[in-house]
Amino acid sequence: MRILVIGTGGREHAIVTKLATDSEVSELHAAPGSAAMAGQATVHPELQDASDPDQVVELAQQVAADLAVVGPEAPLVAGVADALRAAGFAVFGPGKEAAQIEGSKAFAKDVMAAAGVNTARAEHLAPGASAEEIDAALDRFGPHFVVKDDGLAGGKGVVVTDDRAEAIEHVQAVHAAGNPVLLESFLSGPEISLFCLVDGEDVVPLLPAQDHKRAHDNDAGPNTGGMGAYAPLPWLPEGGVQRIVDEVCRPVAQEMARRGTPYSGLLYAGLAWGEDGPAVVEFNCRFGDPETQAVLSLLKSSLAEALYATATGKLAELAPLEWEDAFAVMVVLAAGGYPASPRKGDALTGAALDDASRVLHAGTRKEGDTYYSAGGRVLGVVGKGESIDAARAAVYEVLDGIELPGGFYRTDIAKKAAAGEIRV
């Protein structure tokens, strides 16, 4: 089949890399794509705005796509999947209304309340709230404050802090941008990312993973879009994935269908597993980054078949997914100054830069034979092994061979899991 992947980042590079070796794929296109994807797919840098439905539909028609895979959240929230479906294409990705599960955290809370899904207590603060109203709202939360931008923020719109002044500052910054704020109660317990293929009320989980959001070792520094991930989770209780499906993902899918906006695509549940089991931190309407790079590296089944079955309403007929009996650890190489003000334009060196089985490009451009940094999260490096320790050794060996002036990465991705220090 001919597949068109929309997006440019590390998540899309991971999807393209898996599809490029899939026997079901006869032709692979990426738009706008990246220089790193050019060896695996036909890239289309002429797509100037991936969130413009008309541009995406025109390109899909040009390449005669049998399947369109929409990677990032912004095009989904903008209705790109709806436009593609209206033009007759099979699409992996939810429509605009269903994508509000990520586009509006208040909408997601409403869906969870109706579905009876365990989540944090929340309160909405609209722009224009006075200092007194903000203070009063914060009094109802704490001592751990969770302040979220109620919109798309690329994974960086959340502040979790014990510092009241920092919480107020983030509320004011979000309001200054014209966006509402969601205050939430703090959820304790280790975090879990679970991706599920969803086709109406049919739900098929992928491997569970864990993201590392803070910029620096020992969970220090600001929240980022994610500095690394690993999969699967050796500490998750037996039956844990099924419990998340039964208590979270399937009830949400059923509620979306009941509302007349059935979900089709990838539903990403971000959860904390506390004393009462799993509770939802957030939902995303697409594959997560950086977890995708780790999870897909372990998939043995055809990704094309799974995405196409989801897109065409035949997920219930899909054979059980098969996975490598191994662990994968992914570590982000970030540009100096990330996330606040990342450096750009620095040259990358390293023998593994064109080895997509180990190095996935999230924010690079290429001139001649040289890659340069072009974003905050520059590379995602993946290592696999029979144990988490072996996977960690593999990923850091590759990172040791890559140079980026001013660049940095966390040295403790999956370290606590390897040491058996995570428990539920």
Side-chain angles (χ1 to χ4, degrees):
M1 79 182 76
R2 291 182 297 275
I3 299 182
L4 171 63
V5 178
I6 304 298
T8 64
R11 164 186 49 228
E12 289 77 34
H13 194 193
I15 293 169
V16 165
T17 296
K18 182 57 67 173
L19 291 174
T21 60
D22 196 316
S23 62
E24 297 294 320
V25 180
S26 58
E27 205 172 293
L28 186 57
H29 298 262
S34 67
M37 299 181 204
Q40 303 160 300
T42 301
V43 298
H44 295 270
E46 68 271 18
L47 180 65
Q48 297 180 354
D49 184 359
S51 294
D52 184 325
D54 292 338
Q55 287 188 35
V56 177
V57 168
E58 182 179 358
L59 179 59
Q61 290 170 336
Q62 288 176 7
V63 304
D66 297 310
L67 173 67
V69 180
V70 185
E73 60 273 27
L76 293 167
V77 172
V80 165
D82 298 295
L84 286 163
R85 287 192 179 98
F89 294 99
V91 184
F92 183 83
K96 181 177 182 177
E97 290 188 35
Q100 288 302 304
I101 199 78
E102 178 173 0
S104 169
K105 294 175 179 64
F107 173 83
K109 289 290 184 184
D110 186 60
V111 170
M112 283 186 277
V117 170
N118 188 22
T119 187
R121 176 174 61 87
E123 188 170 322
H124 203 251
L125 271 177
S130 67
E132 291 76 15
E133 289 171 327
I134 293 171
D135 266 332
L138 288 173
D139 284 341
R140 294 187 283 274
F141 291 84
H144 307 296
F145 300 103
V146 181
V147 185
K148 295 184 175 182
D149 185 335
D150 184 24
L152 297 182
K156 300 184 285 294
V158 181
V159 163
V160 181
T161 181
D162 297 337
D163 186 334
R164 188 185 182 94
E166 185 181 4
I168 292 172
E169 182 181 359
H170 191 58
V171 172
Q172 293 172 337
V174 173
H175 280 172
N179 297 330
V181 160
L182 206 67
L183 295 179
E184 287 189 349
S185 57
F186 179 76
L187 293 174
S188 61
E191 292 198 7
I192 300 162
S193 298
L194 184 66
F195 300 164
C196 289
L197 304 175
V198 177
D199 161 24
E201 296 187 17
D202 291 318
V203 178
V204 173
L206 307 189
L207 290 180
Q210 187 178 61
D211 186 11
H212 295 62
K213 283 289 187 186
R214 297 285 185 171
H216 305 298
D217 284 4
N218 302 312
D219 293 324
N223 265 352
T224 72
M227 292 297 293
Y230 66 97
L233 308 180
W235 46 265
L236 192 64
E238 185 176 354
V241 167
Q242 191 60 48
R243 183 174 174 185
I244 294 169
V245 170
D246 292 341
E247 296 182 12
V248 175
C249 301
R250 185 171 288 115
V252 164
Q254 291 170 338
E255 173 61 19
M256 298 288 280
R258 188 193 67 77
R259 293 177 177 221
T261 55
Y263 200 94
S264 175
L266 195 290
L267 181 65
Y268 166 166
L271 313 111
W273 195 295
E275 292 182 0
D276 298 324
V280 175
V281 176
E282 64 176 353
F283 284 113
N284 290 333
C285 63
R286 38 68 191 184
F287 280 105
D289 187 341
E291 299 97 325
T292 299
Q293 292 89 315
V295 171
L296 290 189
S297 74
L298 296 171
L299 180 64
K300 293 173 63 177
S301 300
S302 167
L303 178 62
E305 280 189 2
L307 301 184
Y308 191 73
T310 306
T312 55
K314 297 180 179 178
L315 185 58
E317 302 172 20
L318 184 69
L321 296 176
E322 295 183 7
W323 301 92
E324 288 186 40
D325 184 15
F327 292 90
V329 176
M330 184 276 206
V331 179
V332 167
L333 174 61
Y338 178 74
S341 54
R343 285 172 48 165
K344 297 181 182 179
D346 292 304
L348 287 141
T349 56
L353 290 175
D354 282 312
D355 182 355
S357 68
R358 297 185 294 168
V359 178
L360 298 162
H361 291 240
T364 64
R365 60 178 176 83
K366 195 174 187 181
E367 292 182 13
D369 294 328
T370 303
Y371 287 104
Y372 295 87
S373 60
R377 290 186 295 174
V378 181
L379 301 175
V381 178
V382 179
K384 295 192 291 184
E386 294 182 354
S387 65
I388 295 182
D389 275 327
R392 276 176 43 82
V395 72
Y396 285 113
E397 181 180 3
V398 177
L399 277 162
D400 285 344
I402 297 174
E403 295 292 334
L404 173 65
F408 70 97
Y409 56 85
R410 284 184 57 162
T411 65
D412 64 344
I413 302 299
K415 184 177 181 180
K416 289 184 178 179
E421 296 177 6
I422 301 178
R423 297 179 179 86
V424 297

